[in-house]
Amino acid sequence: MKNPLTEVDQTKLVDPFGRPIEYVRLSVTDKCNLRCFYCMPKGCKNFESSSNWLSFDEIERVMAVFGSLGVNRVRLTGGEPLVRKGLAQLSLRISKLPGINDLSLSTNATLLSQQAESLYAAGIRRINVSLDTLNQQQFCQITGGGKLKQVLTGLDKAQEVGFKPIKVNMVVMKDTCLDDYQQVLEYCMQNDFTLRFIETMPIGSPGRDGSKQYLSLQTVKKRLEKQYDLIPGIMTGGGPARYYRINGTSFEIGFITPISQHFCETCNRVRVSVDGTLYLCLGQDDKVELRPLLRAGISDDDLKKVIIDAIAKKPERHEFNKKPDKIVRFMSMTGG
Ligand code: SAM
Ligand code: SF4
């Protein structure tokens, strides 16, 4: 009997657990100009050689095939996507693809003030910016030498150019959170940014510092509930965040809790890394290497089949709790 998932004329991707896959996170580089300790180790030099990066033509082709299979959302990520030369040209090519109606960006914003206008003109509308603290010294420590001012200038520029929504992602850590989240929250409220708290995930080399900093967001939520009247929010989009609105305001706070309350049952995404590897789950090793196939001249129909077959093997869920040392690739390699 034929497996319906391997029919080439299928126009939607659905995994074995009935989850529609309509979102690709595309890592355009594994490099970064920061070294957030929970993401990329200090002195990390083990980057993919540029000959293995998917070219813009190759990326466009892969994304076009995903678009023909019902993927409608693409997020550019990395590493730091803004360090990849020509990102605006690539963005324009992706945003024009049939089926792709939502192109977004995750960035550390250090280079955003220079690129915000061209990225907006290229069709990006929604951006997520990492910002874990508003204390320059703390910021410098977390990011391995970053300058907070650049991020804040980048955020100002993004707002001026018209990106909406702008979401601030704050990885909450034992040593920084309690002092810092209130300041970040007030900053986001004043600027009409959505704030999302994220639990530190055990990704990267075993024994990395990030895991030691893990703090359940349930702790933060309980504290916030004492300060504010939190109403379950309505912001949707198939993402992993659970949103709450502060009563009497339009301000939304998201909680991304991969560890304390996993959200795998609604997972709608896969990841493509800079070297063209299709990762089926952030927390598992299942993958398919698309680059060798592209460079061997695979047809679009066969590429579709490969992607459909890969989705048919998407794992049910991550195992960050049961096997915290399992995933040894860094977040910046998979595309966070
Ligand atoms: N450089 C961009 C940035 O910082 O937003 C995009 C890539 S970064 C890998 C994407 C997101 O992953 C960021 O919000 C970052 O905070 C988050 N991240 C990285 N390592 C993480 C970890 N170990 N646990 C939780 N979140 C992590
Ligand atoms: Fe770079 Fe983003 Fe990772 Fe920080 S979280 S090191 S900014 S890729």
Side-chain angles (χ1 to χ4, degrees):
M1 200 178 94
K2 272 186 183 175
N3 174 356
L5 285 171
T6 56
E7 292 290 327
V8 184
D9 61 355
Q10 173 183 314
T11 51
K12 292 269 181 268
L13 293 170
V14 180
D15 81 357
F17 306 96
R19 297 172 296 194
I21 305 303
E22 47 204 14
Y23 181 22
V24 172
R25 293 179 75 105
L26 172 68
S27 174
V28 295
T29 179
D30 56 348
K31 291 189 174 164
C32 186
N33 54 348
L34 298 182
R35 289 289 178 277
C36 304
F37 71 88
Y38 48 76
C39 175
M40 218 188 260
K42 233 184 193 163
C44 171
K45 290 202 179 83
N46 206 6
F47 297 110
E48 197 57 61
S49 118
S50 56
S51 59
N52 288 341
W53 299 353
L54 287 195
S55 66
F56 286 2
D57 287 344
E58 289 168 330
I59 292 176
E60 188 180 20
R61 193 161 164 231
V62 172
M63 290 303 126
V65 169
F66 270 112
S68 73
L69 288 169
V71 163
N72 51 50
R73 299 169 61 193
V74 176
R75 175 171 293 274
L76 305 171
T77 182
E80 174 46 39
L82 272 58
V83 304
R84 176 97 187 234
K85 275 206 188 102
L87 185 69
Q89 284 104 294
L90 175 67
S91 307
L92 189 60
R93 289 170 73 165
I94 297 174
S95 64
K96 283 186 171 165
L97 289 173
I100 308 296
N101 53 33
D102 178 27
L103 181 63
S104 57
L105 170 74
S106 286
T107 174
N108 63 30
T110 52
L111 302 170
L112 191 56
S113 62
Q114 300 93 309
Q115 298 186 37
E117 276 170 359
S118 57
L119 292 170
Y120 190 87
I124 298 176
R125 291 293 176 271
R126 303 187 306 112
I127 58 170
N128 291 356
V129 172
S130 290
L131 178 62
D132 301 333
T133 177
L134 282 166
N135 175 313
Q136 164 52 37
Q137 220 182 331
Q138 190 91 264
F139 183 84
C140 184
Q141 266 170 16
I142 294 173
T143 59
K147 294 190 177 65
L148 176 64
K149 181 92 179 39
Q150 291 178 336
V151 177
L152 300 181
T153 312
L155 276 160
D156 285 348
K157 185 70 185 182
Q159 202 170 33
E160 183 194 314
V161 166
F163 288 98
K164 200 160 178 65
I166 297 175
K167 295 183 184 170
V168 166
N169 284 341
M170 174 178 181
V171 175
V172 173
M173 288 160 280
K174 258 189 203 150
D175 289 352
T176 57
C177 137
L178 301 180
D179 294 338
D180 296 0
Y181 79 74
Q182 185 69 32
Q183 258 191 316
V184 177
L185 188 149
E186 281 166 20
Y187 166 76
C188 288
M189 252 178 147
Q190 280 157 14
N191 287 285
D192 199 20
F193 301 149
T194 299
L195 171 61
R196 305 190 320 162
F197 295 119
I198 305 181
E199 284 178 348
T200 327
M201 286 177 257
I203 287 184
S205 53
R208 67 243 139 227
D209 291 348
S211 310
K212 293 180 204 142
Q213 285 293 329
Y214 170 74
L215 181 78
S216 166
L217 284 184
Q218 309 309 323
T219 313
V220 180
K221 187 155 165 274
K222 275 187 197 136
R223 282 182 183 240
L224 285 173
E225 278 165 346
K226 285 188 190 146
Q227 293 173 269
Y228 305 103
D229 184 11
L230 295 183
I231 314 277
I234 45 157
M235 199 178 274
T236 52
R242 292 182 173 86
Y243 285 96
Y244 294 84
R245 187 171 51 78
I246 295 186
N247 200 5
T249 74
S250 56
F251 183 61
E252 299 254 10
I253 305 174
F255 293 83
I256 303 183
T257 54
I259 311 299
S260 66
Q261 250 188 322
H262 77 85
F263 36 73
C264 303
E265 65 280 0
T266 55
C267 184
N268 61 352
R269 63 201 57 198
V270 290
R271 291 172 162 83
V272 176
S273 64
V274 64
D275 66 345
T277 305
L278 171 61
Y279 286 102
L280 298 164
C281 172
L282 183 61
Q284 297 284 4
D285 287 324
D286 306 66
K287 63 183 177 189
V288 176
E289 290 182 20
L290 302 179
R291 188 188 73 252
L293 305 175
L294 292 167
R295 295 194 181 168
I298 191 171
S299 69
D300 280 355
D301 269 355
D302 285 344
L303 187 55
K304 270 191 191 181
K305 274 193 210 158
V306 167
I307 292 174
I308 291 167
D309 284 349
I311 300 298
K313 295 183 192 113
K314 184 170 160 65
E316 187 174 9
R317 51 163 302 177
H318 69 67
E319 294 174 298
F320 290 143
N321 294 327
K322 268 200 274 173
K323 300 180 185 166
D325 283 337
K326 178 171 173 158
I327 295 300
V328 291
R329 64 178 186 268
F330 297 111
M331 186 77 127
S332 53
M333 285 166 76
T334 321

